[in-house]
Amino acid sequence: MDLSERKKQILRAIVDGYIRTAEPVGSSYVLNNNNLGISSATIRNEMASLEETGYLDKPHTSAGRVPSSLGYRFYVDELMQKYQFTVNEIDRMEDALSKRYSELSNIIKDISNTVSYLTNYTALVSTPITHSSRISCIKFVTIDRYSMVMIIISDDGAVRNTVITAPYELNPDVLKRLEDYLNNIFSNMQFEDITNEFLTEQRDNIPMEDALINDIFDFISTVSEAQNSFDVINSGLANMLNYPEFSNVEKTKKLFGFIKDIDREFFAKRVTGDRDTIEVVIGDEEPILKELGLSMVISNYDLGNGQRGGIAIIGPTRMDYSKVVATLDYMKKNTTKYLGTGKGDDTDGRK
């Protein structure tokens, strides 16, 4: 349904008012806080129409209205005004990103802390995932008659090794043939393609039960999982206690559990693909968020060389979407500028 300009103005006023107050918004609030040039009666009629068409809900105990999921979605897609940062907010974000001398994990923590501080919600920031990395080669270096070092080198220069001890004396010729065999399979293969199913299939192609062979494939599996894994750092969990939606103890426990144990696949699939836009997931649109009355705004960041991670902000459904989207947009663009191999965003965000 197409909304008239007047309905759009009233819907925006109600969403903004509910975000600000956490209380159902009545016609008097819309009238007194917005210069719409219409009467209270007209506002009430338009609010009733917005309720009938699904953009607003009416709590049983109140004469006011609250946005529905459809109302929030329309607001985010069509009505939300661009948030303007203060100089102090920009300085704080740049400070979090400009510490090139620090370990990347510490910079990620700074980003998470800064995002949660500026938005007053909970921030989740993942460490980078390198999807384009490939195995360059596999090498065996004997230590003595019964043990060797197995080395896996990736095309980005990373080296992983482990000591493997065999229950029998190692034969150099057999090791060389095995090394050549493994390189024929795995050389130039992306780590993300080395699944457990693939490893099982390749292991089954070697028709012998052998502790050495099993240890070799176990190490390939371990390296692949480590290459494809990532950590998620959360900040500002206590911020959620500031919102009346989470005054219930049981609901708060569920919230904390959800953030602590957030489904990594749910998070990863939204930040490591080719999507370059910021995604706003409103509670009812995702079952994992609906029960807790949460929304999540998610962005990826790109460090170049196939390294991508994600930044997400979690808050109540009535979160300040304008500020959250602007914050993630700024961090996304400037993470590449400060930390990545690309040029990033040369603007300082001061409008």
Side-chain angles (χ1 to χ4, degrees):
M1 171 185 176
D2 291 332
L3 296 183
S4 67
E5 192 59 36
R6 187 163 66 189
K7 283 185 171 67
K8 291 179 182 178
Q9 290 176 335
I10 292 172
L11 179 59
R12 178 192 289 126
I14 291 172
V15 176
D16 287 339
Y18 188 58
I19 289 172
R20 190 177 303 118
T21 67
E23 297 289 339
V25 177
S27 58
S28 59
Y29 180 95
V30 176
L31 181 67
N32 295 330
N33 290 274
N34 299 271
N35 186 23
L36 300 182
I38 54 178
S39 68
S40 180
T42 300
I43 293 172
R44 285 195 297 272
N45 289 337
E46 295 286 36
M47 289 171 65
S49 177
L50 287 167
E51 182 185 354
E52 289 176 2
T53 51
Y55 291 92
L56 298 177
D57 289 329
K58 182 177 181 180
H60 296 301
T61 58
S62 173
R65 307 297 202 284
V66 299
S68 65
S69 290
L70 178 62
Y72 280 121
R73 174 50 61 194
F74 190 84
Y75 173 86
V76 168
D77 292 345
E78 303 288 342
L79 306 178
M80 187 170 67
Q81 296 176 320
K82 186 175 182 179
Y83 180 81
Q84 300 297 321
F85 292 113
T86 66
V87 172
N88 287 338
E89 287 172 333
I90 292 173
D91 288 343
R92 189 168 184 117
M93 288 188 287
E94 289 189 346
D95 183 62
L97 289 165
S98 61
K99 299 175 181 177
R100 298 177 178 85
Y101 56 83
S102 297
E103 292 287 337
L104 181 60
S105 60
N106 291 332
I107 296 175
I108 296 297
K109 290 178 183 177
D110 281 348
I111 291 173
S112 183
N113 289 335
T114 299
V115 169
S116 67
Y117 174 82
L118 291 176
T119 61
N120 203 32
Y121 300 122
T122 297
L124 302 171
V125 183
S126 79
T127 54
I129 308 170
T130 308
H131 274 304
S132 62
S133 183
R134 300 171 182 269
I135 289 182
S136 178
C137 67
I138 296 173
K139 294 183 177 181
F140 297 144
V141 179
T142 55
I143 300 173
D144 54 37
R145 290 185 299 169
Y146 295 95
S147 58
M148 68 174 186
V149 178
M150 179 176 176
I151 304 169
I152 297 178
I153 303 172
S154 60
D155 61 355
D156 58 7
V159 178
R160 301 289 186 95
N161 63 78
T162 190
V163 175
I164 296 177
T165 301
Y168 48 78
E169 189 168 339
L170 296 171
N171 183 313
D173 292 334
V174 172
L175 284 182
K176 184 63 173 69
R177 288 198 298 272
L178 180 59
E179 181 183 274
D180 291 342
Y181 175 79
L182 293 174
N183 278 303
N184 185 57
I185 297 171
F186 293 104
S187 182
N188 206 39
M189 188 172 183
Q190 288 190 348
F191 283 102
E192 63 179 316
D193 294 331
I194 304 175
T195 62
N196 289 331
E197 292 77 12
F198 180 80
L199 288 171
T200 299
E201 178 184 345
Q202 297 305 317
R203 173 62 186 88
D204 290 344
N205 287 337
I206 302 177
M208 58 184 292
E209 280 302 322
D210 186 289
L212 177 66
I213 301 297
N214 291 338
D215 287 346
I216 287 171
F217 274 85
D218 285 346
F219 183 57
I220 296 173
S221 175
T222 298
V223 171
S224 299
E225 288 178 4
Q227 195 74 14
N228 293 325
S229 69
F230 63 96
D231 293 324
V232 177
I233 298 168
N234 71 70
S235 300
L237 192 53
N239 287 343
M240 305 302 279
L241 300 178
N242 296 326
Y243 300 99
E245 291 92 332
F246 305 106
S247 59
N248 178 279
V249 174
E250 288 304 314
K251 188 173 184 179
T252 302
K253 285 182 180 178
K254 290 181 180 179
L255 167 69
F256 284 5
F258 163 68
I259 293 175
K260 180 181 178 182
D261 303 321
I262 188 166
D263 188 299
R264 297 164 69 81
E265 183 177 350
F266 167 80
F267 192 70
K269 70 182 180 182
R270 287 171 162 80
V271 301
T272 58
D274 294 330
R275 181 192 296 110
D276 285 323
T277 58
I278 293 173
E279 181 183 12
V280 178
V281 186
I282 295 169
D284 285 2
E285 298 172 352
E286 179 66 51
I288 198 171
L289 301 176
K290 181 177 180 180
E291 179 185 358
L292 293 170
L294 297 173
S295 285
M296 179 183 286
V297 184
I298 310 170
S299 171
N300 58 36
Y301 64 85
D302 193 341
L303 301 186
N305 296 325
Q307 296 186 87
R308 281 198 169 192
I311 309 174
I313 297 176
I314 296 176
T317 306
R318 62 176 184 91
M319 70 161 59
D320 187 346
Y321 293 99
S322 178
K323 184 173 186 178
V324 168
V325 169
T327 301
L328 286 192
D329 185 57
Y330 187 95
M331 298 302 279
K332 170 186 173 66
K333 292 176 180 176
N334 287 280
T335 297
T336 301
K337 172 184 175 181
Y338 285 104
L339 305 179
T341 58
K343 295 180 180 179
D345 182 7
D346 292 330
T347 65
D348 67 1
R350 294 178 174 90
K351 301 288 186 180

